[in-house]
Amino acid sequence: MGRNFLSCDRERDLEMPRDVRVWLPPEHLCWKVLDTVELLDLSVFEKSYRDDGRGGVAYPPASLIALLLYCYSKGARSSRRIEQACWDDVGCRIITANRRVDHSTVAWFIRRHRAALNSLFVQVLSLCGRRGLVGLSAVAVDGSPREANASRDANQRLQRLEETTR
């Protein structure tokens, strides 16, 4: 009697459902990100594009913003890693409608809309506060560059730090 293995015939067509809504369960992060982006005011992004129908087609800002939020929340911050995720990650494929966004498109979008992307933080934080996901009593963001000695010799044990603070 032979072994009972599942068939792994890679030569046949895969039977992926045509409806992306069944690719991942409703509680998956990609759906939450898409729902959140729908609640944001993205008018500042949309105003920066031509409305006369001329020029090349562009990705919808909502789609790229959702892609950035999703990838950032999963630790993919570089445009090349985001491009790779558009190949490998089913959540990215749902967000982009199965399009593989190029890394230069991601980098260009971030560069072009840096100020508007920074303002999204306030909108997202406010939304999370209204839903009770975060407490807004002590929220601080500081990206100020500071000089610091991070060498191995600058590290100290707790006992030494306690001695220097006395």
Side-chain angles (χ1 to χ4, degrees):
M1 188 159 162
R3 291 185 174 87
N4 192 15
F5 293 132
L6 290 172
S7 172
C8 290
D9 183 8
R10 291 175 187 84
E11 299 296 319
R12 67 180 176 91
D13 289 336
L14 294 176
E15 298 172 5
M16 284 291 284
R18 294 186 59 79
D19 186 354
V20 297
R21 292 172 292 189
V22 297
W23 287 7
L24 290 173
E27 64 274 6
H28 194 273
L29 177 63
C30 78
W31 300 118
K32 294 182 186 325
V33 168
L34 286 169
D35 290 344
T36 301
V37 170
E38 283 183 17
L39 300 174
L40 300 175
D41 177 16
L42 304 179
S43 59
V44 68
F45 292 92
E46 292 166 1
K47 288 179 187 174
S48 69
Y49 292 89
R50 296 177 68 143
D51 60 359
D52 60 5
R54 295 191 324 180
V57 295
Y59 289 99
S63 179
L64 291 176
I65 290 166
L67 179 65
L68 290 174
L69 291 175
Y70 178 76
C71 288
Y72 285 2
S73 69
K74 295 187 76 178
R77 299 207 30 121
S78 78
S79 59
R80 291 188 186 271
R81 286 192 59 204
I82 292 170
E83 176 186 19
Q84 187 62 44
C86 289
W87 281 88
D88 298 339
D89 189 303
V90 176
C92 286
R93 295 184 89 156
I94 289 172
I95 289 169
T96 63
N98 211 22
R99 290 188 175 92
R100 294 172 188 105
V101 180
D102 185 75
H103 68 275
S104 59
T105 301
V106 173
W108 177 83
F109 183 81
I110 293 169
R111 206 170 28 254
R112 178 178 182 189
H113 298 290
R114 187 167 307 280
L117 287 167
N118 289 338
S119 72
L120 279 183
F121 175 75
V122 175
Q123 285 188 58
V124 171
L125 190 60
S126 173
L127 181 64
C128 290
R130 286 194 304 269
R131 295 202 171 174
L133 299 173
V134 295
L136 299 178
S137 60
V139 175
V141 176
D142 184 15
S144 303
R146 299 278 183 238
E147 287 188 32
N149 186 353
S151 71
R152 202 174 272 266
D153 298 332
N155 294 331
Q156 298 181 17
R157 298 214 179 266
L158 179 61
Q159 181 182 2
R160 175 76 174 122
L161 287 173
E162 288 173 345
E163 290 172 4
T164 58
T165 58
R166 289 182 194 155

